[in-house]
Amino acid sequence: MTAPSETVLEAEGDAGGDAAAIDQAMLAEVLAGLAAPRKTIASKFFYDAEGSRLFDAITELEEYYLTRAETAVLQQQAADLAERIGPGATLVEFGSGSSVKTRILLDALSGLSAYVPIDISGDHLDAAAKRLAADYGLPVIPLHADYHAPLELPPQVPRDHLLGFFPGSTIGNFEPEDAAEFLRRLRSFLGGAARLLVGADLQKDPARLEVAYDDAKGVTAAFNMNLLVRFNRELGSDFDLKGFRHEAHYDADLGRIEMHLVSLRDQTVTLDGQRIAFAAGETIHTENSYKYTLESFGALAQRGGWRSEASWTDPENLFSVHLLIAA
Ligand SMILES: C[S@@+](CC[C@H](N)C(=O)[O-])C[C@H]1O[C@@H](n2cnc3c(N)ncnc32)[C@H](O)[C@@H]1O
């Protein structure tokens, strides 16, 4: 993205605009990913309505410690955060989902001017925004958009005191250099006077990480497989859902969880008239989730144009939350 000054990231379409155009863009991206020597699909495609519903179910799982740990940090630090941020901020959240953790900030921060949740999953976003507006009596201005594309804050959003919020370890889905670039874009977008609150998952025992992404009830498997359901429905492909299985493993060298869909046999899938061959055992790489240390995340933030004002972890040191200030 070519990031201009301050609040405006550069105007471009709303992801909820022209459905035919979005399908073509999605089709082109999916075809390119499946034509690559190592088949890959961008994790943003997880989030249709069913994917968003399944993600919410994941956050409730016993194995998925991330949401509970991040919630605990935010609850513990809410008063301190409120003091540091001061009154009258506008809260802008990237990948807001159901905005559940956001409520901790909305409860703690005084005199918020507005809340701007940004998410690619339009209906889910609108439903969450309606609930928050009703519960808090605050201007809630949802922005249905792909945050990889140029974004622009709606004109009515007060922008003199911006607090960005990027929870959920979503930063871990970026390659580290892409994460640094994204942080640089957020710095231009939010401006030099802004702060950014980011949640980053921490390195830990690989066994604990792997079950968090491969739970006993199979909810994460359903979330991963839903990509194929979505492509069959929206792109007209003919993936045989019985021909693939979910896999999650930790790559200790790269410090990341990888999620894949593994082909159970030699097979051919048709998408947009193209025949895509899968060998038995071949995978589609569907997500990375990088795990940081406090130090490595601090270094990443610095490369992204921010410095750490404060960092906190939960009592078990599972998850970290960083309050960043434009460097
Ligand atoms: C891991 S979930 C986190 C949800 C929530 N923030 C939380 O902490 O539980 C990632 C969220 O980012 C959204 N998302 C993923 N890729 C996106 C993109 N490229 N642009 C905008 N939103 C995106 C998804 O729809 C989803 O709500």
Side-chain angles (χ1 to χ4, degrees), residues 2-311:
T2 50
S5 61
E6 297 293 299
T7 325
V8 177
L9 272 176
E10 214 181 66
E12 206 188 63
D14 174 332
D18 177 350
I22 290 164
D23 283 352
Q24 286 308 313
M26 177 170 159
L27 177 62
E29 218 178 307
V30 171
L31 276 172
L34 294 179
R38 290 186 180 196
K39 295 179 172 65
T40 307
I41 297 292
S43 58
K44 66 181 176 187
F45 293 123
F46 282 131
Y47 297 98
D48 64 352
E50 177 64 1
S52 295
R53 188 193 71 73
L54 285 165
F55 180 77
D56 281 351
I58 287 171
T59 66
E60 308 272 321
L61 293 167
E62 181 60 32
E63 296 95 329
Y64 198 78
Y65 61 84
L66 292 86
T67 301
R68 282 189 305 280
E70 187 174 30
T71 299
V73 179
L74 292 171
Q75 282 168 340
Q76 275 165 4
Q77 306 305 333
D80 186 13
L81 270 168
E83 198 171 319
R84 289 172 187 271
I85 305 299
T90 298
L91 183 63
V92 182
E93 181 169 353
F94 303 90
S96 49
S98 290
S99 296
V100 174
K101 290 167 212 157
T102 318
R103 289 173 180 265
I104 301 167
L105 300 181
L106 298 184
D107 287 335
L109 299 177
S110 65
L112 274 176
S113 300
Y115 170 52
V116 183
I118 302 174
D119 206 285
I120 202 166
S121 188
D123 291 345
H124 200 77
L125 170 72
D126 288 341
K130 282 200 183 90
R131 287 195 297 271
L132 286 171
D135 291 351
Y136 286 89
L138 170 81
V140 177
I141 305 155
L143 194 54
H144 176 204
D146 178 349
Y147 52 52
H148 292 297
L151 295 170
E152 188 176 0
L153 281 180
Q156 73 271 34
V157 174
R159 39 194 92 191
D160 54 322
H161 184 183
L162 292 173
L163 171 64
F165 186 36
F166 194 31
S169 179
T170 309
I171 189 100
N173 297 146
F174 293 66
E175 291 292 334
E177 279 324 300
D178 295 341
E181 170 60 18
F182 188 67
L183 290 174
R184 277 194 289 278
R185 290 178 48 207
L186 293 191
R187 190 193 174 291
S188 306
F189 180 50
L190 297 168
R195 286 191 178 85
L196 178 65
L197 189 63
V198 189
D201 196 16
L202 293 172
Q203 290 181 7
K204 58 184 63 65
D205 174 12
R208 178 118 198 220
L209 285 168
E210 285 179 352
V211 294
Y213 292 84
D214 194 6
D215 61 278
K217 289 185 182 150
V219 183
T220 314
F223 176 72
N224 201 7
M225 289 293 293
N226 181 57
L227 273 174
L228 305 186
V229 178
R230 181 179 188 186
F231 295 159
N232 283 353
R233 186 183 64 246
E234 293 187 27
L235 304 178
S237 55
D238 62 355
F239 281 99
D240 174 6
L241 303 182
K242 295 201 178 72
F244 292 85
R245 69 170 172 80
H246 165 70
E247 183 189 279
H249 64 260
Y250 186 64
D251 183 320
D253 292 334
L254 294 172
R256 72 186 191 195
I257 282 281
E258 292 187 5
M259 292 210 316
H260 292 259
L261 290 167
V262 185
S263 177
L264 295 175
R265 50 183 159 75
D266 291 348
Q267 58 184 314
T268 303
V269 173
T270 305
L271 172 58
D272 193 39
Q274 300 197 32
R275 290 166 62 78
I276 300 154
F278 288 84
E282 188 179 358
T283 78
I284 309 174
H285 188 173
T286 53
E287 188 176 73
N288 289 322
S289 187
Y290 279 87
K291 307 302 169 187
Y292 288 95
T293 62
L294 289 180
E295 295 70 29
S296 66
F297 189 83
L300 172 71
Q302 212 167 16
R303 292 203 301 284
W306 299 85
R307 73 176 168 77
S308 178
E309 179 177 332
S311 297

